[in-house]
């Protein structure tokens, strides 16, 4: 093989590597930072802000449901990537759930995320994600509250209330006890809540094959942003 032919082959191989790797990595490198976590208000994102609280008394008791506008996802640091802050993200608006509050105490809460609907912004990465999560067998991820949580402070303030909720997170067929760091705030006549759960993916049987083109850290974060409204069901 001549030298010029070898260079052509090398160039083609490098181009293929770039094409294969790029879709897996979603990173705001042009902004010099990783994409911000889901939260009550993100700079420059009007839709992420809590609406002004409705005037008058606010009763936290009752049945609540997760409404459209909610979203959930995960993030994990990508290894062996030139950009120091590259992360792999998967998000979906396909989130449902119900919550029950009595006497200022959150007594039950379940939130279900359709893992089949998680999207990273790349069809290639989406396929690898669906394979890792085995979404054909386990199409949802479930969070359930395991201990009552005092949320009565919401009735007295329209500022952000920070809470810690104990629960159980089920991904695939594995359930782990978790603690959710919550920011909760009145939003219009409803409630806006964001939460983050630190996870070790291997605890849920999730592993990236060693020959996969992109490797991520075993530690990551599950994030939710929930628009909560009162249930129309009596």
């Amino acid at each position: 093989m001549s030298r010029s032919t070898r260079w052509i082959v090398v160039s083609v191989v490098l181009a293929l590597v770039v094409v294969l790797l790029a879709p897996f990595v979603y990173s705001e490198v042009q902004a010099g930072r990783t994409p911000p976590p889901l939260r009550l208000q993100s700079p420059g994102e009007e839709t992420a802000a809590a609406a002004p609280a409705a005037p008058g008394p606010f009763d936290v008791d009752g049945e609540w449901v997760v409404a459209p506008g909610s979203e959930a996802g995960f993030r994990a640091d990508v290894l062996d990537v030139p950009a120091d802050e590259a992360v792999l993200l998967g998000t979906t608006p396909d989130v449902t759930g119900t919550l029950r509050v009595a006497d200022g105490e959150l007594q039950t809460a379940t939130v279900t995320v359709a893992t089949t609907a998680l999207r990273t912004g790349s069809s290639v990465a989406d396929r690898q994600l669906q394979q890792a999560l085995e979404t054909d067998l386990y199409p949802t991820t479930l969070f359930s509250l395991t201990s009552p949580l005092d949320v009565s402070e919401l009735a007295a303030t329209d500022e952000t209330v920070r809470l810690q909720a104990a629960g159980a997170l089920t991904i695939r067929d594995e359930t782990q006890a978790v603690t959710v760091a919550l920011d909760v705030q009145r939003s219009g006549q409803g409630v806006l809540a964001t939460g983050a759960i630190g996870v070790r993916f291997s605890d849920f049987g999730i592993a990236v094959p060693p020959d996969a083109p992109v490797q991520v850290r075993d530690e990551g974060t599950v994030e939710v942003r929930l628009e909560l409204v009162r249930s129309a069901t009596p």
Side-chain angles (χ1 to χ4, degrees), residues 25 82 111 121 175:
V25 183
V111 177
T175 300

Side-chain angles (χ1 to χ4, degrees), residues 41 58 72 143 150 188 219 222:
Q41 184 169 356
F58 184 76
F143 170 82
D150 184 357
E219 296 80 12
V222 172

Side-chain angles (χ1 to χ4, degrees), residues 166-181:
L169 181 65
T170 301
I171 304 178
R172 292 167 32 112
D173 59 345
E174 295 290 338
T175 300
Q176 299 286 331
V178 295
T179 299
V180 189

Side-chain angles (χ1 to χ4, degrees), residues 105-126:
E105 186 176 74
L106 180 62
Q107 296 183 341
T108 63
T110 59
V111 177
T112 301
V113 179
T115 48
T116 53
L118 284 170
R119 295 294 180 266
T120 64
S122 160
S123 60
V124 177
D126 291 346

